[in-house]
Amino acid sequence: MNNFKAVVIGGSAGSFPLVVKILSSLPKDYPFPVFLALHRLKHIRNGFVEALSIKSNIPVIEPHDKQQIKPGIAYLAPSNYHMYVELGNTIALSTEEMVKYSRPSIDLTFDTASYVYKDKMVGVIVSGANTDGADGIRKSKERGAYTIAQNPDEATIKTMPDAAIKAAQMDHILTIDEICKFLVSIKP
Amino acid sequence: MEIEIDIKEIRTLVTAIKTNYGFDFGEYALSSFKRRLSRILEVYKFENMQKLTDRVATDKPFYELFLKEVTVNTTEMFRDPSFWKKMKESVFPLVKDFPVIRIWHSACSSGEEVYSMAIALKEAGLYDKARIFASDINEDVIAKALEGKYPARNMELNGFNYEKYEGPKKLNNYFKTNGDYAYMDLDLLKNVTFKKFDLVQGDQFQRFDIILCRNVLIYFNLPLQDQVIAKFAKCMSLGGFLAVGSKETIAWCKSAENFSTFSLEEKIYQKKI
Ligand SMILES: C[S@@+](CC[C@H](N)C(=O)[O-])C[C@H]1O[C@@H](n2cnc3c(N)ncnc32)[C@H](O)[C@@H]1O
């Protein structure tokens, strides 16, 4: 499959090992930016990026506000901020109210990313403990994005992928290994 | 069902506001501005952007309300405790011998940041020589700051931040709880002056030794960020300190040439001498 521009992944703090697995399977010169909207332990600002970086083949960074978006970099939503994709190929951060008890909110990253990338975006929802992400993936789907949920049978916590599958007709329901393979196979 | 907002509709609204009231939202960051518009459409039950635009353009009181609704006012006491620690350990020692320490909170929201500063200064024995100026574009949040009354449930996070800041006391030394509210010790405001001030259009002629501009630049585009930073550069003493939010940076602004980096980690800059 081709004609993509960005990958967006949502999950809760517990999805950490899955995200590590995905990042370690992507090649060094991955042709897309990867946005990671992951719930985080509250008010722990440091350590997450470092932990994700160890096994990742692409750099993982917590972006600053208005940072330029580049392919081959994973952008992790910083603690206590929502991460938005802004028009003009930059990232914007926001301290708006929590959404579904979450900041960063998966819904908001998916909403803003799909507004910009439309059918050029791949959205993935993995294991997680609340329904955050469901509204975001539904909107993404309405805007033409390609949507994937982790197979709830495999997810350690099913609530998040279950809610996503309920909210919109997913293009794929896959195991983590299949998600990795798919993300490697897609082309710009 | 949420209404999908088109960029063109946003531009029309921005132009209408500029024409009627002279305020320019054109350089506000689009994604969060759009989100605030969605919220306003929902809360005030507008069918579409056209209706909202008409109302804003023709109804001045509603425009005033709109201004307050589009701003994001979330804040905490001792937000980013490591920032406050840096202030205490590295910045305060450099200003402690000034006869007067002039401080400006340039987007103070409901005042949590101002109380944090007052507490930190007090604990450092510097409060009496501090003159604190606190401003925001939104008068409602300034009124809250002056009242010093916060939902009691917020104090847990505020107290947690204060602990991580390693304050010498307990935060509850500085407030009393009564029912659902915490009431701040208003003595902390003795040297504080609040004023409505718009960072986009306003000009500041006083001089400051420390300026805090935290978590407001994120709502602006780069050119507007640059413009605001340039204004700060003009009203700071040489060697004065400018602090932005922990995920903001002035590195991409041209006006950054007026500053050197004092703490990269905590986003504290120093006006070049
Ligand atoms: C998220 S709060 C930041 C509060 C505090 N500085 C902090 O970091 O916790 C942003 C504040 O910026 C204010 N603001 C937005 N646009 C402004 C402008 N043009 N001039 C002055 N203040 C503005 C809003 O009203 C809001 O209170």
Side-chain angles (χ1 to χ4, degrees), chain A residues 65-66 81 86 95 115 143, chain B residues 5 30-31 74 215 219-220:
Chain A
D65 177 61
K66 307 292 147 33
Y81 288 92
E86 187 77 28
T95 62
Y115 190 77
R143 291 168 181 150
Chain B
I5 302 175
L30 200 81
S31 48
T74 46
N215 300 304
Y219 301 104
F220 301 163

Side-chain angles (χ1 to χ4, degrees), chain B:
Chain B
M1 189 57 210
E2 204 180 300
I3 302 160
E4 186 90 338
I5 302 175
D6 198 80
I7 312 261
K8 282 199 209 93
E9 295 175 311
I10 299 180
R11 300 233 162 91
T12 310
L13 172 74
V14 168
T15 309
I17 292 175
K18 203 170 168 185
T19 319
N20 287 286
Y21 307 104
F23 192 88
D24 190 3
F25 278 108
E27 289 299 329
Y28 270 59
L30 200 81
S31 48
S32 46
F33 189 62
K34 174 172 165 287
R35 271 211 41 85
R36 298 313 278 180
L37 294 178
S38 292
R39 225 188 113 255
I40 293 171
L41 288 178
E42 204 180 302
V43 174
Y44 295 91
K45 304 206 167 32
F46 284 100
E47 280 158 51
N48 53 43
M49 279 291 288
Q50 187 56 50
K51 295 235 158 94
L52 171 66
T53 305
D54 291 345
R55 178 83 186 272
V56 168
T58 53
D59 181 346
K60 179 118 194 281
F62 185 80
Y63 165 70
E64 303 284 341
L65 184 68
F66 171 89
L67 269 189
K68 290 168 184 165
E69 291 281 1
V70 284
T71 57
V72 174
N73 305 120
T74 46
T75 184
E76 295 165 19
M77 286 182 201
F78 293 96
R79 177 184 213 149
D80 305 313
S82 56
F83 161 75
W84 290 97
K85 242 178 117 177
K86 193 81 189 170
M87 289 300 287
K88 168 171 72 174
E89 288 167 3
S90 305
V91 174
F92 287 179
L94 297 174
V95 297
K96 74 174 189 338
D97 295 324
F98 289 16
V100 185
I101 309 168
R102 287 150 309 179
I103 302 171
W104 180 18
H105 295 267
S106 65
C108 67
S109 188
S110 41
E112 281 85 338
E113 190 183 88
V114 181
Y115 285 100
S116 310
M117 181 63 88
I119 290 169
L121 289 165
K122 204 163 190 166
E123 291 175 351
L126 297 175
Y127 187 81
D128 287 337
K129 58 162 86 172
R131 295 293 170 271
I132 302 171
F133 182 65
S135 63
D136 198 282
I137 197 176
N138 182 340
E139 286 163 304
D140 288 3
V141 289
I142 293 182
K144 283 189 190 162
L146 275 166
E147 203 183 358
K149 171 182 159 190
Y150 300 113
R153 66 185 134 78
N154 291 4
M155 296 322 269
E156 191 186 337
L157 173 61
N158 292 337
F160 176 75
N161 285 346
Y162 178 81
E163 253 170 59
K164 290 187 82 183
Y165 157 74
E166 295 174 15
K169 299 189 177 173
K170 288 253 174 272
L171 191 62
N172 59 24
N173 281 93
Y174 301 101
F175 65 88
K176 289 201 168 58
T177 312
N178 190 348
D180 291 339
Y181 290 96
Y183 296 83
M184 298 305 294
D185 176 358
L186 293 180
D187 266 2
L188 291 167
L189 297 187
K190 204 176 56 171
N191 292 352
V192 182
T193 312
F194 286 97
K195 199 178 161 207
K196 179 178 168 176
F197 183 86
D198 170 15
L199 284 169
V200 179
Q201 290 174 320
D203 268 310
Q204 182 54 257
F205 301 107
Q206 285 189 53
R207 283 200 171 267
F208 296 98
D209 305 307
I210 299 175
I211 297 180
L212 267 63
C213 180
R214 308 194 75 224
N215 300 304
V216 60
L217 296 177
I218 46 179
Y219 301 104
F220 301 163
N221 281 340
L222 273 178
L224 184 53
Q225 293 189 357
D226 190 22
Q227 211 177 299
V228 172
I229 301 296
K231 278 189 202 175
F232 288 150
K234 280 198 206 140
C235 67
M236 288 177 73
S237 54
L238 299 179
F241 297 93
L242 170 67
V244 299
S246 59
K247 285 292 160 191
E248 294 169 322
T249 174
I250 69 168
W252 302 313
C253 293
K254 196 180 168 293
S255 49
E257 66 193 21
N258 296 297
F259 296 89
S260 56
T261 303
F262 181 77
S263 167
L264 189 60
E265 185 59 27
E266 302 304 339
K267 300 298 168 344
I268 305 174
Y269 303 92
Q270 199 169 15
K271 172 88 182 283
K272 276 187 192 159
I273 301 188

